[in-house]
Amino acid sequence: MSKGTTCAKAIEKWEEKNQARAADAEVVKLLCQIPPIEKMDNSLNNLTNCRHLSLSTNCIEKMINLPGLRNLEILSLGRNNIKKIQGLEEVGQTLRELWISYNQIEKLDGLQPCVRLTTLFISNNKIKNWDEISKLALLPELNNVLLVNNPFCEGISKDDIKPRIVKRVPQLKTLDGEMITDIVRKRATEDEEAKE
């Protein structure tokens, strides 16, 4: 079995390709590494200017704290093997978008520090329980969520699932790529079925 690419090596490759220092860059994309990145590590904390960090399409299993990324606004970790949302305490004050679709996440714990989060892409994960969706209401600025293809949606039509989610997360403006209409909002408040 081959050893994965380290974050330090991926940063080095990025610098060679872009002829720039990664520490000075606002956007650093370390996606699709060959061999894939298996672990986030402290070398990422050197990306002090980074506003958008992409580590998508690798084999990362665990999120880590990133205290050096004080400007981080977008964190992209889609298409990895992440099972738990964690390590966001240090970036919670600046993080506006978390792209974490196509992972193995079952619970939405770990998002509490993200008080400025507006966008959460978490489709194609393993979220089974409706109580997890209710946790999103605690994120005051969250208004755009992608939740399709999680087990909690199975057997429910697209038209029926929207009011159920809006009932739990009323601040949403966009759900699964579509604007929340007044009709959906009305169904969320009136429809007893929306309780689940």
Side-chain angles (χ1 to χ4, degrees):
M1 187 167 171
S2 68
K3 189 176 178 187
T5 301
T6 64
C7 289
K9 183 65 177 170
I11 291 168
E12 186 181 307
K13 286 198 256 180
W14 184 94
E15 289 178 330
E16 287 173 17
K17 179 182 174 188
N18 292 280
Q19 296 295 296
R21 281 180 21 116
D24 298 333
E26 289 191 5
V27 178
V28 179
K29 295 185 177 182
L30 307 175
L31 55 153
C32 301
Q33 295 295 304
I34 301 173
I37 296 170
E38 295 175 348
K39 289 182 183 177
M40 294 173 73
D41 65 43
N42 283 330
S43 64
L44 296 170
N45 284 306
N46 296 325
L47 306 175
T48 54
N49 227 23
C50 189
R51 293 187 181 282
H52 180 166
L53 175 61
S54 179
L55 294 160
S56 296
T57 315
N58 281 293
C59 290
I60 297 166
E61 292 185 6
K62 185 177 179 184
M63 298 169 67
I64 65 165
N65 283 321
L66 298 168
L69 278 70
R70 300 214 182 270
N71 299 306
L72 191 65
E73 294 177 5
I74 301 172
L75 178 58
S76 177
L77 289 164
R79 296 186 185 275
N80 276 290
N81 296 317
I82 296 168
K83 293 175 179 63
K84 182 178 180 183
I85 298 171
Q86 61 187 16
L88 297 174
E89 296 80 8
E90 303 287 343
V91 297
Q93 292 298 313
T94 58
L95 194 66
R96 298 190 80 65
E97 299 186 19
L98 179 59
W99 305 349
I100 198 159
S101 293
Y102 293 94
N103 275 287
Q104 308 296 316
I105 296 165
E106 290 184 26
K107 298 195 179 293
L108 295 177
D109 298 323
L111 290 170
Q112 303 89 335
C114 302
V115 293
R116 295 204 172 135
L117 196 69
T118 61
T119 301
L120 176 63
F121 295 157
I122 192 158
S123 68
N124 297 281
N125 271 281
K126 307 256 183 212
I127 303 166
K128 297 175 189 158
N129 192 320
W130 277 97
D131 291 339
E132 296 304 315
I133 306 309
S134 298
K135 293 174 183 177
L136 298 177
L138 301 174
L139 301 170
E141 295 189 27
L142 186 68
N143 61 53
N144 181 12
V145 177
L146 190 64
L147 284 165
V148 294
N149 295 327
N150 275 288
F152 79 90
C153 314
E154 290 175 6
I156 305 170
S157 75
K158 187 176 171 181
D159 288 339
D160 287 340
I161 203 154
K162 280 183 185 178
R164 293 181 188 194
I165 293 171
V166 170
K167 184 169 186 76
R168 288 167 175 80
V169 194
Q171 75 270 29
L172 290 183
K173 293 179 182 165
T174 308
L175 175 61
D176 296 335
E178 296 179 5
M179 298 294 289
I180 302 294
T181 63
D182 290 340
I183 294 168
V184 170
R185 288 199 187 285
K186 187 174 182 188
R187 279 192 63 202
T189 57
E190 292 178 351
D191 194 354
E192 284 301 307
E193 299 253 348
K195 280 190 212 174
E196 180 58 17

